[in-house]
Each structure stands twice: as structure tokens, then as C-alpha cells.
Amino acid sequence: MDPPAETPSTRLPIAARLVAFSADHAGVVAAVGFALAVAAMIFTVTHFSLNSDTDQLISWKLPWRQREATFNRLFHIEGDQIVAVIDGATPELAEEAAAALTARLQSRPDLFRFVDRPDGGPYFAREGLLFQDVAQVRDQMDQLVKAQPFLGPLAADPSLRGLAGTLSTVVQGVSAGQVALTDLNRPITGLAGTLDTLRSGRPAFFSWRALISDKPVDRRELRRIVVASPILDFKNLLSGQKPTAFIRHAARAAHFDPAHGVRVRLTGPVPLQDEEFATLADRAGLIGSLAGAAILIMLWMAVRSPRLIAAIVTTTLIGLVCAAAVGLLIFHRFNVISVAFIPLFVGLGIDFGIQMSVRFRAELEAWLTLRDALVAAGRGMGRSLTLAATAIATGFLAFAPTAYVGVSQLGVIAGLGMFIALGLNLTVLPALIRLLGAPSGAPPHEAAFLERLDGVILGHRRLVVGTAVAAALVCAASLPWVRFDFDTLHMKSAKVESVATLLDLMSDPDQSPNTVEIIAPSLAAADALARRLERLPEVSQARTLSSFIPTDQAEKLAIIRDAATLLDLTLDPLVTEPPPSDAENVAALRKTAADLRAAAANSTRISAQAALRLAGDFDWLADAPPAARVLATQMLMPPLETVLAQTRTALSAQPVTLADLPPEITRDWLAPDGRARASVVPRGDANNTAVLDRFIDAVQRVVPDATGPAVEVREGGRAVAAAFAEAGALSFVAITLLLYGVLRRVRDVAITMAPIVLTGLLTLGTCVAIGQPLNFANIIALPLLFGIGVAFHIYFVMAWRGGGTHLLQSSLTRAVFFSALATATGFGSLWASRHPGTASMGKLLMISLVWTLVSALLFQPALMGPPPKDRARAET
């Protein structure tokens, strides 16, 4: 068959003329394409910048974001924080580690703006007793006074010699009948257990708290919190890498590890974000390799030619670097969402390449020359590709005006990228095909089963369409159960340290980060609001600056002062003993062992067993090498000094007024203009979305303009969902108008858009059926799915309008099928990611692409049917 002569009466459409020009000047066009790619690559490499600050992804113009900004400005709240959670085997170890780490971080103002201890520091060390109730203060002072026979000698001689001598004095009182050995059972048992552990060669730790309290150690006493506001580098994907690495190095250098009784874990916004990006990078090489291999396999199955595959891949890569350069030219830097233009461009760019190449191979069988086959492919697919690219770009650009800044920029870059992909597939791709030569081997032919399937669908059109409509109605009815998971924590891997630590913290209601914050006109107004909110069943507690002023101070201070008077010389002896020699330690240990055995002879069985056990440990320690006694000293004496120092400080408590509060506390709760902060803590599991929703609703019924982390999480999710809903509606209308402007028939527009609606309903219905919520991660996949769907259905409708029949048996179906498979297998490999959000994106991609194929290959042909005779014309 000869190609039609290119006369004025049969002028080729613009797309075909572009292909013809590129084929006739293949060398020049290819050279220009490569030169453009090199220039774009140089520009991209030299200007590449990534803003990893996720706080900038949602517009600050939204009312709730403005309230957030106002609150942060008034109360100096730093959103970018590193929270070091320090767990100690004893309260003393936890306190020592927290104090040391705080001092170390404060020495690096180049890495940290400020470092704070919300549960400690000088103020709470001095005034902490005043925050207990009167009965607790009295009980603790009584315990201190009872411990006076221990504390005095130990304060004067903090050594093994002093410990042994103190025990000897006390147990001699047992022998004299002045003291019951049962009164000493708790400290003796604790000391014996610790020495047993040391004797076995395992790490051993001892708390002197047993001397001053008869209650077991509370979990909260074993934990300390250090909060640091780091200086971040948002040009780095891991913006907090330097300050985080410094904290970890400082902890290692100080031997804060389980072997030394301390565990330091990091959480907070900065580690959560950095570890999330690190998790995303985990398996990235494997997933990228699988995706690339899958795409190449699908390309082979589609075109069966290494030359065509090389041309398609090269064209796509040129387009990718050009799109990247355009994005940087417009926005100067990418954000963590806008970089997703890469999979969007690759998926759709490869689709355009497959459509052109498959049509080219089909035309090559009919035309005599490669050049004529390229021109015929451009004539046959040019208008469809142009309309598809324009429609897809319109859909992407609909995100531009939304408040979700990250996706807004993504939409602009991806939208313009579609025109880049279209232009390159009509110019560079034909040029490369012409230069590489005709593909070798026989072209692929459609499977026989497609002929049978085509007959079944066209023979049962009403049944197919009716089934599709019924499925759409069922899925539409399930839409109220489509769930958007607003909690970004659910998208993170619970195995990483920052997430596991945060979940651990959230198990304690007092440490939950999901608070609601309120700006009151004054402290008095904040206090009144706090009292009102605390009556709500959804609220655990509400705090204001007044919460830092202890109640019943006069009565508590009187009790503390009485104890301080009695213990003054006990805790601050006039004379202290010089450090003992090893021989003195050995002698004291042997003597105390003998005294313990003597006391055990006249005591109850249980108390005697504890005394004999400690006596055996002292004998072992006396007989052991000197190194064992050094270890025992290092284990026992630093905690003693910590307890003595804490006790001295606690007994110096003074009356507290607002004026006495430390500036760093006042700054966080009272603004210079007099406005005050109220912080409300939820009751129940703060990680449960339903619990959090009820809590926020209850507080906002009282204070509608409340802000805070809990509100920000929910409103952020709603802003994202609203952005996608707004963009979806806008793109649907815009694409519909675009199609009408081209197709000029309402019925044809409806036939094009109906399968897209069906795909969306089936996808969301499947999510409901399998319990897969939408979230911040997988919702990013929707633009790609929408673009692929629009393209596929436009291809079929344009072919149908051109008089095409039995389209399932055509090369178009082959191109659509393998294009979908290339996208599905390539990006569906994200399902293998260890990052839950990314894995859910892969899952949603697979689900939607399956339904896209079902709609395109089953529903679309049944909906179209045979083309009317008056439409059987070439769309040129």
C-alpha cells in the first residue's frame, strides 16, 4: 500500500508533520534532544535544592495555620524538636544522665537554639516536694528522719568503709534490742541483690531511694526527658542529621547504654521526620531495581524490540531531566512531595512512548518504509496523544490553586511535564527510531482470546454495562465508609526508634504530645477555662502557668523546714573522712559480715536470711581482688552522692509565686502582652483516632479557635483531603469541558468520562472492603491513576470515533494493556517497602490499575459499541 501524497488537499495534521520533520531530520532532532538533555542536566545538578521542611507543605493562609503561627510566636513554641528520652535502671542513674546530657548539649549553641528539661532542672529539684500533697510530703520527711542513722555516717564517709561501718552500727543496735532487723529488711535485701548481680559478673545498679522511701520505685522516676531545639539544614533530606548525630555521640561518649544502666532514645518531630526519610530509602535500591526490571519486561512484551525499548527509555529520561529543570526554574527548589513528579512523569511518559511505538509497529506492516510508518503512526495517534496529554495536564494543574502547597507544586511540574513528554514523543522518539533502524523480528500479534472476548462483550453489551452500573452503585453506597487516616504516625514504621519511643511516651497521658492548646486573654481567664475543661469526660487534665505554683505551700514548707532542721548536720557534716585505703575497706567489710551474722541469730527467719545473704556478699567482696571493690565503689557511691545532693536541694524549698518562676517556664506559658496559654491533655488512648476526635470536638465546643498538635494533625489531614477533593472536582469539570470542546458531542464526552468515574468508585469501594484507609502517602498516587485512566479512555474513544471496530483486537489494546502493566509492576513494587505509607501507596496503585484495565478493556467497549456509520471517519 502506498502512503497518500502530501498535497495541499491532504495536508498532514500538526502532530504527523512534527513526526515527519523529525524522521526526515533525525540526526539534527536527536542531537538537539541530547543537547537539551545535557543543558537540563547541568542546570538541575547545579541548581538542585530540596526543602525537607514538611511544615511548609500546607499553606499558612489557612485559618487554623494562622492560629498555630500565632500560638507558636506568642509562647516561643519550636515545632522542630528533638526529644531525648532517658531511662535509667535507677532514679539516680536517670537523673545523672539527664543532667550530664543537658549540660553537654547546652555547650553547643551552634547545633541547638535551646535545651530544656520539662520534668527537671533547678526549679523542680528545689520545689518538687511542694507539688506532692501534704500527706505525701509528711510521709517522705518521716522516711528521711528515720534514715538519719544511715545518712549521717554515709554523708561523712561516702565509701565502702563508710557503708560497712554504718551497717555495723545499725545491726549492733539490733543485737542490743534497740532496732528490729525487719526495719532494715528493704535496704539489706536491695543491697544483697545488687552485690549478687555484681558477683555473677553482670552489670549491677543500686538505688539509695530505699533508704528514704518505703514505696516501690514508680516508672516515672526512672525516666527523664531532655528537649532540644536544633538548628536544622533543610537543604539536606535528613535536616536534623548533625544535631541528632551529636546527641548520639554524646550519649556513647558518656557510656549511656544498657551496660551502664542507662538507655537514651530519640523521638520528636525531627527524628520522626529524618527516620521516616531513612525508612523510605531502605530497600530503595531493591525496589528501584525491581521497578526498572519490571518496566523493561513490560516494554519488551509490548514492542518486542530492543531498539524501540532503547528509544522509549531514552526519550523518557530526556523528558525527565527537562521536567526537573523546569520545576527548579519555576519553584527554585523541590519539596518532599513535589519530587513525586518523577514516578508520575516516568509512568505517563512511558505510556506515550508505548502508544506511539506499538502503533508504529502495526503501521510498519502496512507501509513500505520506516519513515512512512512513523508518519502514519503520528497521524493515527497524534491527536489522541495531544488530547490525552492536555487532559492529564489539566488534571494535574487543577492542584495548583489548592492549599496543599506540596501537591500544588507537584501538579504544576507534572502538568507541564506532560507537554514536555508529548513534544518529545512526537519529535525525539521518531528521530531515535529512524536512527536506530527498523525493529528486527516479527511484530507481536494480539492473542486469540481477545477476539473471543471482544465478541462476548459486544454480544452482551447490556449485561456488561448493567453489571458495571450495579457495581458502581454498590461502591457509591459504600463511600460514607471511606476513611482518611489523618494520623501521620500510622504511616510510619513502628520498628524505628523514634516511633517506638513516641508510642511508649504516649502510653503515659501526662506525656502525650497530642494536646490542644488555647490562647486566653489573661492568666485568670486561662485558669477559669482550665477548670471548666477539666470537667469534660474527654479531658485528663488542663494546665496553665498557675499549674507551676504549688498549693498548700505554708503547711508543706513547715513540714520540710522541720525535717531540714533535724537533718542539717546529718546531710552537711562538719567533718568528712578522707578516702579509705583498700585494706580499710576489706577490714570494714569483714567486720560488718560478722555483725550481720550475729544479728541474724536473734531475728526472724526472713530477716535472718537477708542478713546472712548480705554477710556472704560482704565476705566475697572482701576476699575478691581489689578491682571488684573498685567496681562496687563505682556502683554504690555516685548514686549515694546524687541522692544526698537531691535531698539537700529538696530541703531548701522556698515559697513560690508567679514572680519566682524561672523565665524559661514563664516564657512558654505567658506572653509579654498578658495573654496566657492553657494546655489540655486527652483522656484515654491518644493514639486512637476516634478518641482524639472526640477529645478535640469536646474542647472546641468550648473554645472553637483552639489549636495545638492534636488540632494540627486533624486539620492538616482535612486540608489534604479538601485539596484533593477540590482539585478532583476542578479537574473533572475542566477535562469534561476540554473533551466537549474537542469531541463536540455530549454522548462521546460521557462515554469517555463514565469509565473514569467507574474506576474511581471501584477503587474506593475496594478500599472500604479490605479496610485500607486513604492517608497522606497513598493519596499522592491518585493523580497518576487519574492521568493513566484519562489517557486510556481517550485513546479508545478517539479510535472509536475514527471508525475503529473490534478495538480489543487492535494494537491499541495491546499498548494500553502493557502500559498499565508497566505502571502496575513498576510502581506496584512500592508495596514491598518497609515504610507503611509507601507500601499502602503501592497497594492502592495496584488496586486502581486493575480496575482501570477492567474499565478500559471491558466496560469501555461495551459502552461504545460499534461506531455509527455517520461517525466512521478519520480523525485528522
Side-chain angles (χ1 to χ4, degrees), residues 746-756 793 797 800 859-860 863-865 871:
V746 173
R747 182 172 179 269
D748 291 359
V749 173
I751 288 174
T752 306
M753 297 301 290
I756 299 172
H793 299 304
V797 169
W800 173 71
F859 178 60
Q860 182 96 59
L863 193 62
M864 293 186 302
R871 292 193 205 169

Side-chain angles (χ1 to χ4, degrees), residues 125-331:
R126 186 183 68 250
E127 311 296 349
L129 283 172
L130 296 179
F131 288 92
Q132 301 180 16
D133 59 42
V134 174
Q136 289 175 317
V137 173
R138 182 176 287 109
D139 180 65
Q140 195 157 342
M141 294 303 99
D142 289 344
Q143 291 294 326
L144 270 176
V145 172
K146 286 176 64 176
Q148 191 173 17
F150 273 100
L151 293 175
L154 286 171
D157 188 4
S159 65
L160 284 181
R161 178 188 63 193
L163 171 60
T166 301
L167 278 174
S168 285
T169 301
V170 174
V171 297
Q172 285 171 8
V174 173
S175 299
Q178 298 171 344
V179 182
L181 191 58
T182 52
D183 294 339
L184 306 175
N185 197 49
R186 185 179 177 87
I188 286 177
T189 301
L191 185 56
T194 303
L195 290 175
D196 285 346
T197 303
L198 182 67
R199 189 174 178 178
S200 69
R202 292 176 288 131
F205 315 102
F206 182 72
S207 173
W208 290 93
R209 187 183 175 283
L211 283 177
I212 60 175
S213 177
D214 58 356
K215 296 178 181 177
V217 176
D218 185 84
R219 179 188 174 191
R220 297 182 189 182
E221 296 180 83
L222 299 175
R223 174 168 289 173
R224 294 291 183 269
I225 304 294
V226 176
V227 177
S229 177
I231 296 173
L232 302 178
D233 177 15
F234 288 118
K235 295 180 181 178
N236 188 347
L237 182 62
L238 305 181
S239 58
Q241 188 174 42
K242 285 185 179 180
T244 299
F246 178 79
I247 296 175
R248 296 193 188 281
H249 173 74
R252 285 194 302 270
H255 303 295
F256 296 155
D257 52 52
H260 294 84
V262 177
R263 179 173 62 159
V264 178
R265 296 176 293 165
L266 303 184
T267 188
V270 174
L272 283 168
Q273 179 175 296
D274 285 358
E275 288 192 344
E276 179 171 22
F277 290 148
T279 305
L280 286 169
D282 185 30
R283 289 188 179 178
L286 173 62
I287 292 172
S289 299
L290 290 175
I295 289 173
L296 289 176
I297 291 171
M298 292 304 117
L299 282 172
W300 170 258
M301 296 179 70
V303 299
R304 300 289 178 89
S305 168
R307 295 175 184 177
L308 288 179
I309 291 174
I312 293 171
V313 171
T314 301
T315 303
T316 303
L317 292 178
I318 292 173
L320 183 60
V321 295
C322 291
V326 168
L328 289 172
L329 196 62
I330 296 173
F331 298 111

